[in-house]
Amino acid sequence: MAVERDVFGISGPTYLKSVDWNCEHNRRSVAASLVQAVYVLERDRQLNRQSVEALAPPWWEFFHFELIRKLIDDADMSIFGAIFEFNPPSSEEVSAVNAPRFVVAFRGTITERDTISRDLSLDLHLVQNGLHRTSRFTIAMQAVQNVASVFPGSTIWLAGHSLGAGMAILTGRNMVKKGVLLESFLFNPPFVAAPIERIRDERVKHGFRIARSVITAGLTIAMKGKTEGNSQRSVAEESFSILSSWTPYLYINPGDHICSEYIGYFQHRKNMEDLGAGFIEKLATQNSIGDLFFKALGWESEPLHLLPSADLIVNVSPSPDFKYAHGISQWWQPELNLQCSKYRY
């Protein structure tokens, strides 16, 4: 669900002469750069840029990472992800104590002939809460599990942009269920719902959110009573509780309607608690109308955008257009006006 085109020649964050691994800005810039590296890897493949002509290596070599594996989609043979290992020079080992040992990064959609068909089909699976049923996710999940099992105790980061952020969310969620919490950097992650955040009138926006919460909670109670009985804790509630210990970083631009609804999703939860309607929102925040609809049809559904906890980082700097607001390049810029909020379930 990304539109990454004509940006592969842009310069990265070369202003970072050395990385302070305790600095949130530096960490964000590195994670975004490694996601960009995956975009450029795939474009190198498509344009047959090899050896000295390849443009991807500077994106990881600048930060002393090594590419140890490309993640290849079995349907179109495209590079959709990569595993990088940090290998700093001995002179920087002390200052890199909080650096990750591995970063697994996933790109979003590339609207080029070689990739557009497969990527758009995965976008559709994401919208239908069915990304977990795809072979690309299976490949991604196996890769992350392998790194975690072969190098137990090592610091592993997940990073992704747009569709790739969805892949990182799904992978991170499944690792939590296995008892492994991975630090995750999610850039412009898709939120599959009506873009209420785009409504300018705050009262109308708030009214829509309350109505959606009441409807979602009502449908949840009705379906729970029909299928499980009132005394049992629902599967959704159990899963939500388990996920609450995982706190990914969500990087959102209000000008990007693909991800901007996360702003309202978390803020509305707090507003409902302040109104004394926390019970309604507790049910609504664990479910979505679309998810309930798919489950009513008997489809296996896993909505990625329903997250219990997160650090929400919103870029309120002016964005010239949607392409920039949804692009990965904004996240390594040196002077961003960011608003950060911590949400814990």
Side-chain angles (χ1 to χ4, degrees):
M1 295 181 72
V3 182
E4 280 301 310
R5 194 170 185 168
D6 299 329
V7 299
F8 300 100
I10 58 181
S11 59
T14 53
Y15 56 85
L16 288 177
K17 303 304 179 184
S18 63
V19 177
D20 178 355
W21 292 103
N22 295 311
C23 173
E24 294 299 326
H25 167 63
N26 285 194
R27 290 154 60 86
R28 182 192 73 243
S29 297
V30 171
S33 295
L34 294 178
V35 173
Q36 175 68 6
V38 183
Y39 278 113
V40 186
L41 271 170
E42 172 55 19
R43 288 297 283 152
D44 281 348
R45 184 194 72 86
Q46 292 179 8
L47 299 174
N48 198 29
R49 295 189 298 234
Q50 301 180 23
S51 187
V52 296
E53 294 181 349
L55 301 181
W59 288 95
W60 62 80
E61 291 175 349
F62 184 81
F63 301 108
H64 306 300
F65 281 89
E66 296 178 359
L67 173 64
I68 63 172
R69 182 184 169 188
K70 301 173 185 176
L71 303 183
I72 310 297
D73 190 292
D74 62 349
D76 64 359
M77 304 309 293
S78 68
I79 301 169
F80 72 89
I83 303 175
F84 302 98
E85 183 175 10
F86 187 52
N87 187 19
S90 56
S91 61
E92 295 185 16
E93 287 182 355
V94 175
S95 61
V97 65
N98 290 320
R101 180 170 180 185
F102 298 98
V103 178
V104 185
F106 305 103
R107 66 166 175 84
T109 303
I110 295 180
T111 55
E112 299 291 344
R113 183 180 62 184
D114 292 355
T115 49
I116 188 170
S117 177
R118 173 61 168 167
D119 284 358
L120 289 181
S121 72
L122 289 163
D123 290 335
L124 182 59
H125 275 92
L126 190 150
V127 170
Q128 296 174 336
N129 297 334
L131 195 60
H132 61 289
R133 295 192 295 268
T134 66
S135 60
R136 182 177 289 190
F137 165 66
T138 301
I139 295 168
M141 190 65 201
Q142 289 175 346
V144 174
Q145 279 185 283
N146 287 343
V147 174
S149 61
V150 174
F151 302 96
S154 294
T155 302
I156 303 170
W157 286 6
L158 295 178
H161 173 242
S162 196
L163 172 62
M167 191 67 67
I169 290 175
L170 185 55
T171 305
R173 287 166 63 106
N174 278 270
M175 291 302 290
V176 172
K177 295 172 185 177
K178 297 177 183 298
V180 180
L181 302 181
L182 301 180
E183 196 160 358
S184 302
F185 298 77
L186 311 173
F187 302 99
N188 302 83
F191 192 103
V192 182
I196 297 176
E197 190 63 27
R198 305 283 289 179
I199 299 173
R200 296 186 180 277
D201 190 302
E202 289 297 325
R203 289 177 299 178
V204 174
K205 184 191 299 185
H206 192 47
F208 267 113
R209 293 198 191 285
I210 292 176
R212 186 169 68 182
S213 292
V214 171
I215 293 171
T216 304
L219 290 173
T220 301
I221 292 172
M223 290 188 65
K224 182 178 179 181
K226 184 177 180 180
T227 60
E228 299 179 359
N230 293 328
S231 63
Q232 292 182 312
R233 195 180 189 192
S234 72
V235 174
E237 186 177 355
E238 188 75 37
S239 176
F240 214 69
S241 179
I242 293 171
L243 289 174
S244 63
S245 59
W246 180 50
T247 309
Y249 299 101
L250 304 185
Y251 296 95
I252 308 298
N253 189 309
D256 174 15
H257 63 267
I258 291 176
C259 68
S260 62
E261 191 58 27
Y262 272 108
I263 301 172
Y265 171 74
F266 284 106
Q267 184 58 49
H268 180 61
R269 184 192 300 177
K270 182 177 183 301
N271 292 342
M272 291 291 278
E273 290 173 356
D274 293 343
L275 289 172
F279 172 73
I280 292 176
E281 190 56 26
K282 184 177 181 180
L283 290 175
T285 199
Q286 298 173 15
N287 300 274
S288 70
I289 295 175
D291 179 46
L292 294 170
F293 173 75
F294 290 133
K295 287 179 178 176
L297 296 176
W299 296 359
E300 184 185 355
S301 175
E302 185 167 355
L304 306 183
H305 59 281
L306 303 180
L307 296 172
S309 307
D311 282 1
L312 193 71
I313 300 96
V314 181
N315 180 12
V316 295
S317 305
S319 297
D321 51 33
F322 169 76
K323 181 179 179 180
Y324 179 85
H326 188 63
I328 186 68
S329 64
Q330 65 185 299
W331 299 112
W332 61 69
Q333 301 305 319
E335 297 181 2
L336 293 178
N337 185 5
L338 302 177
Q339 293 180 352
C340 305
S341 303
K342 297 180 182 294
Y343 294 96
R344 302 294 181 265
Y345 182 68

